[in-house]
Amino acid sequence: MAHAVQAADVLAARNRIDPWVQRTPLVRSESLSSLCQRDVRLKLESVQETGSFKLRGAFNRLLTLSEDEKARGVVTVSTGNHGRALAFAASRLGIRAVVCLTSLVPENKVAAIGDLGAEVRIAGADQDIAEAAVEQLAKEQGLVVVSPFDDPEIIAGQGTIGLELLEQQPDVTDVIAPLSGGGLISGIALAMKAARPAVRIIGVSMDRGPAMVLSQQAGKPMPVEELLSLADSLTGSIGLANRHTFGLVRDLVDEMVLVSEAEIAAALRHAYGQERLILEGGAAVGIAALLARRIALGDGPIAVVLSGRNVNIAMLSALIGDPAAANEG
Ligand SMILES: *Cc1c(COP(=O)(O)O)cnc(C)c1O
């Protein structure tokens, strides 16, 4: 079926954002390769500026605004990383940005967005209330609404990760990526399946409120109760009026799996203990799924997208330092 965003849009996005974002490393994981008996590689979006891949979509969206829209500015709702990336990109490009956050967003992320020069508004306890605040601001002040995931240019920007994977590991057979609103995985799937239709795309969500998984099971976008999770950047609804990512995920994602809080905690400890990587919970769900053996793997190389590193360090060090946890490994 025809989608509003195509593989060619991802190629265009790559040329557009190239001066502004990093091509991130793909590194082999000895620990996961030996555990899975496969060549497992880690795509380190955690080293992207602002600490997550969201910078790719943010720059692509802002660079495709009309001159008139650039002059008016943008407004968004975000669980943190999209707001931070959009604030950063907007300040680089000299565009006004207003970021509406829910009260669930951790303090470290709120502060980081303000420091980048964006205007921050805390609006209500869930994403749908914050979205209403965004619509209001758009109407009153003429700001352009930028969705964190349900936007063709955001999806195309995130998809540039898929182009890099094709170059860095041409024989990759399985790609494992976090799944929330679905912008990340839709972009990667579009880019990679155009070149290699047989590549398997596997999405991983936390079992506490997996909005996209529940929506796919229901056959339509479903509301979801927003629960606290170690994977805070994966919480929230896909939007009841979802236009793009619901259909893209339905058509392009081969498998979706869920992981528990304990499995995410184990993955964060593994990432630090075995790979010396600092990740946030939402970025570690792919490792969590491999450690818990939740995915039936093919024979070829596996790429695991590690999507960000914006974790509360006190929380992470408490997790890593947990003596009960040390006994596990
Ligand atoms: C936004 C985000 C995700 C999920 O991306 P979607 O496009 O919403 O599926 C995963 N990990 C991190 C770190 C994020 O910031």
Side-chain angles (χ1 to χ4, degrees), residues 15-36:
N15 290 333
R16 209 175 279 125
I17 69 177
D18 186 59
W20 302 99
V21 307
Q22 297 196 56
R23 181 192 160 98
T24 53
L26 183 70
V27 299
R28 184 178 146 85
S29 164
E30 187 48 42
S31 65
L32 292 170
S33 295
S34 84
L35 185 93
C36 301

Side-chain angles (χ1 to χ4, degrees), residues 7 40 45 52 73 75 81 94 152 191 199 206 222 238 272 275 305-306 309 328:
V40 179
E45 282 304 297
S52 85
V75 59
N81 286 337
V199 75
M206 70 289 162
M222 295 293 283
I238 68 164
Y272 185 76
E275 312 286 345
V305 179
L306 307 183
R309 63 158 183 235
E328 281 172 20

Side-chain angles (χ1 to χ4, degrees), residues 21 55 70 73-74 81 87 92 116 151 156 167 181 189 216 276 296:
V21 307
L55 199 62
K70 282 180 186 155
V74 294
N81 286 337
R92 287 295 152 101
L116 289 169
D151 177 307
E167 290 164 6
Q216 294 294 340
R276 284 297 182 267

Side-chain angles (χ1 to χ4, degrees), residues 51-54 78-82 109 148-150 154-155 158 177-186 204 212 232-235 245 249 280-285 305-310:
S52 85
F53 71 91
K54 293 264 187 356
S78 167
T79 52
N81 286 337
H82 168 69
K109 291 188 176 178
F149 54 84
D150 200 28
I154 294 282
I155 295 164
Q158 321 305 27
L179 171 61
S180 175
L184 171 64
I185 206 164
S186 296
V204 188
M212 182 61 86
D232 56 85
S233 54
L234 304 187
T235 60
T245 57
V249 168
E280 58 181 278
V285 293
V305 179
L306 307 183
S307 48
R309 63 158 183 235
N310 293 322

